Each structure stands twice: as structure tokens, then as C-alpha cells.
Amino acid sequence: ESFEREYGYKIIQNEGTSFEIPNYRKDNTGKMYKINMEINNKCYCKNNIIIDNSQVIDTYKEKERYLLIDYFIIDLKEKKVFVYDQTLNKDSFLVGVMDIKKIEITKLSNSKLVRLIKNRGEDVLIEIDDDNQIIGYVNNNSHFIGSKFLANNKKLRYLIMNNVEHVGVCFLYSNENLEEISMQRLAFADNFFLRMNNSLRRLYLPALEHVRHGFLNNDRVLEYLYVPKLISADDEFLEKNEELEVFDAPCLHNIGSNSLVNNNKLTTINTPLLRVLPRNFLKHNNSLREATFESAESLELGVFDDTKVLEVLNLPYLKEYPYNKIFKINAILRRLLEENVERNNMGLILKK
């Protein structure tokens, strides 16, 4: 009963069985701790507590000296940031928080602001919530971000890194809550950029040119995307997006398979330089009534598979498509492709 009053959970336990409470773990003495995250069987908790294989690590319990945020430890005396679990030391977040001159912590209404005053460059700002989880990050010093940047963070809500031009693999891979991002100079995003995020509704990346596999793969709610310089996107680009109504990519030459597969709201698409309509591109779209692909020469299986409303499809340079299988799948698409063949009056390679 006391546990229920303290933490708001009602525990029901059958005789002979153990119980688990979400986001709580026991140490080897049976004491319960609320955890922020668990990585590699190590639990990171509020109040600088780390539980490693049920063993409480109290090395960093001195709050005047240490501050545990996510899975990073800030040493306020030595002015450095490091990780307890050395398998996480490749997280490129660490590179951006080196060379610290002074650390200031300011209490806000529902959070704290950690200001890292650098020996050179602008201050780095880290906002943390009441559980000491990172919810905001501002760093305009970096130009290149390596791999696994905050790859295990889930709570970040806003990010400002306006001088970064390149980010490595698994950038904010596990994050689910990011709502605001400002990366004005970002030109290249490697594999799994924001792969698990499902909160971002608007994305403005005016300098982006190339993205690799799994770009915003799980974001279903993105409504606005500004990528005027995007040239290439690998497989699973916005694969599960459901809300985008306009896709404007005037410089896009190549896009990978399974891109925009689940979108059923797209009504406008502008990709005048796209050469191949890849496998399953816009597979489940049933809102687009007219589409022109001025440069497309090839169409692969799965494109517009479920369309029932497409009325106009212009493919002036179409040279090949999987003839037999498309003819069996969708009568509307078959008719539109036949119209293009007749209109183009050119030799067509029919993929068997």
C-alpha cells in the first residue's frame, strides 16, 4: 500500500510469481529504483544512480561534483563529460562537449539548463528535465557529426545545430519525441537519421543533398518537408509517413525502394529529374489524381499498386516497366501505362 501511495502503481502478485513494474528495477538488495533508460543491462536513474547488473554504482553519488544526464556523466570539478559504459564512448555527442572552460547550471520552472562555456567557440546548451534526461540541445560549433549521436536518447524535444554539414549513422536513432530541429547547413545524412522519431511534423532542411537508408523511417506524422536541394535518397525514405500532402523535390535524381510506401494523403508531387520510380514507391497512395515524372525512364513493381483515383500519369520518357505483373495487378495503372506507350510512340522494353 505504501508503494502504491508513493508511486501511483497498484501491484497485484499471484502466489509463486514475481512482478515487474514498468520503468522500475530492483538492485541486489531488493530496493526499487525508477530508471530513465536501460542500455547493455545497465540502468541509468535520477540522482546520479547507475545500476549495473543489479549492483548499485555509487561512484558518482556526490551531487556537488557529478551530474548524470541520460547515460553521460558531467564532472563539474574536472569540467569534462564521459560515459560509465565504455561501449558507448563512440557516441559522437561526446566530441561536441569537450574543451570546457566553465559549467553553469540554471534552474528553470520545470527543467534545468546546463551551459558549457567553451575555451573556443559558442556556449553549448543542454536542457534536462526533472529526471535529468536531455530534452534540448544547442551547439553551433560543430560542422561534422560522427556516428551514433545521442543514439540512445528518447526524450530530446528540440535540437539546434546550424553549422553542421554532415551527420553519421544512427543520428538520434532511438529518439521518439523530437518536435523542433534546426540544421540550416546540413547537406548529408547517413543511415537511419531520426529513424524511430514519430513526433516531428515539420522539417526544414534547405541545404540537404544526400540521405542514406532509413531517413525518418518511422515518422508517420510529418506534414511539411522542405528539401529544395535534395539529389538522392536511399531505401525506406519516409517509408511509414501517412500525413505528407506535398512532396516537392525539384533536384531529386534518385530515390530508393519502399519510399513513401504508406502515404495515402499525397496530392501533389514534383520530382522532375527523377529517373526511376523504384519498387513500392507510393504503393498505398490513393489520393494522387495526376502525376508527371518528366525524366522517369523506368517504373518498377509496386508503384501506385493500390491506386483507384489516379487519372493522369505522364511519363514522356518511359522505356521499361514490368509488363506482365502490372497488367495483373491494377487495371487503372495498366491503362495509364498503355496510354504512355501509345503517346510516346517509342520502343518499350517490357520486363518479364
Side-chain angles (χ1 to χ4, degrees), residues 14 20 34 48 52 55 58 63 73 116 119 127 167 183 188 195 203 210 225 265 278 286 295 305 317 321 332-333:
N14 296 322
E20 288 189 3
K34 183 181 178 183
N48 293 355
D52 187 348
Q55 177 71 40
D58 59 6
K63 293 183 181 180
I73 301 163
L116 306 181
N119 284 310
E127 186 174 355
V167 298
M183 302 183 81
F188 178 88
R195 178 165 183 132
L203 184 56
H210 303 281
L225 176 67
K265 291 191 176 179
N286 205 25
S295 303
D305 256 12
Y317 291 100
Y321 65 88
I332 293 176
L333 187 57

Side-chain angles (χ1 to χ4, degrees), residues 38-44 51-53 85-88:
E38 182 174 2
I39 309 168
N40 300 332
N41 208 29
K42 298 170 180 61
C43 299
Y44 299 87
I51 303 173
D52 187 348
N53 288 296
D85 181 352
Q86 291 305 300
T87 66
L88 301 175

Side-chain angles (χ1 to χ4, degrees), residues 181-200:
I181 182 170
S182 182
M183 302 183 81
Q184 300 293 310
R185 295 186 180 180
L186 182 65
F188 178 88
D190 213 329
N191 293 332
F192 308 128
F193 178 90
L194 284 170
R195 178 165 183 132
M196 302 306 295
N197 180 277
N198 194 29
S199 299
L200 199 62

Side-chain angles (χ1 to χ4, degrees), residues 318-335:
L318 181 68
K319 293 181 180 179
E320 59 179 12
Y321 65 88
Y323 178 88
N324 284 341
K325 292 181 179 179
I326 280 185
F327 271 45
K328 294 177 182 178
I329 292 171
N330 190 316
I332 293 176
L333 187 57
R334 179 175 71 231
R335 175 179 57 78

Side-chain angles (χ1 to χ4, degrees), residues 100-117:
I100 301 170
K101 179 181 180 181
K102 186 179 179 182
I103 301 173
E104 296 178 350
I105 301 175
T106 305
K107 177 103 173 119
L108 306 177
S109 57
N110 296 309
S111 63
K112 298 189 198 76
L113 185 67
V114 180
R115 181 183 297 273
L116 306 181
I117 300 171

Side-chain angles (χ1 to χ4, degrees), residues 172-320:
L172 285 169
Y173 181 95
S174 302
N175 179 274
E176 299 171 350
N177 293 287
L178 191 73
E179 296 176 350
E180 299 177 33
I181 182 170
S182 182
M183 302 183 81
Q184 300 293 310
R185 295 186 180 180
L186 182 65
F188 178 88
D190 213 329
N191 293 332
F192 308 128
F193 178 90
L194 284 170
R195 178 165 183 132
M196 302 306 295
N197 180 277
N198 194 29
S199 299
L200 199 62
R201 293 186 178 274
R202 298 179 65 84
L203 184 56
Y204 181 86
L205 296 172
L208 189 65
E209 296 180 354
H210 303 281
V211 301
R212 299 293 301 277
H213 184 91
F215 180 88
L216 276 170
N217 176 256
N218 282 280
D219 192 320
R220 291 174 168 82
V221 301
L222 191 73
E223 297 172 349
Y224 176 79
L225 176 67
Y226 184 74
V227 284
K229 295 184 178 180
L230 185 65
I231 296 171
S232 66
D234 283 0
D235 295 349
E236 299 180 5
F237 175 85
L238 293 173
E239 179 185 15
K240 296 177 183 175
N241 175 272
E242 297 173 354
E243 299 297 327
L244 200 66
E245 295 184 8
V246 176
F247 181 49
D248 186 18
C251 295
L252 187 67
H253 283 75
N254 303 293
I255 192 168
S257 61
N258 298 315
S259 294
L260 285 165
V261 171
N262 290 286
N263 181 288
N264 192 30
K265 291 191 176 179
L266 198 74
T267 56
T268 303
I269 184 167
N270 178 38
T271 55
L273 303 180
L274 190 61
R275 296 168 182 169
V276 177
L277 305 188
R279 182 177 291 265
N280 297 331
F281 183 56
L282 291 168
K283 180 173 182 176
H284 295 305
N285 179 279
N286 205 25
S287 297
L288 200 64
R289 293 183 178 274
E290 182 174 341
T292 297
F293 298 97
E294 292 93 330
S295 303
E297 298 180 353
S298 177
L299 178 146
E300 298 182 353
L301 276 177
V303 177
F304 289 122
D305 256 12
D306 290 344
T307 186
K308 295 180 179 66
V309 301
L310 193 63
E311 297 172 354
V312 178
L313 177 62
N314 292 317
L315 297 159
Y317 291 100
L318 181 68
K319 293 181 180 179
E320 59 179 12

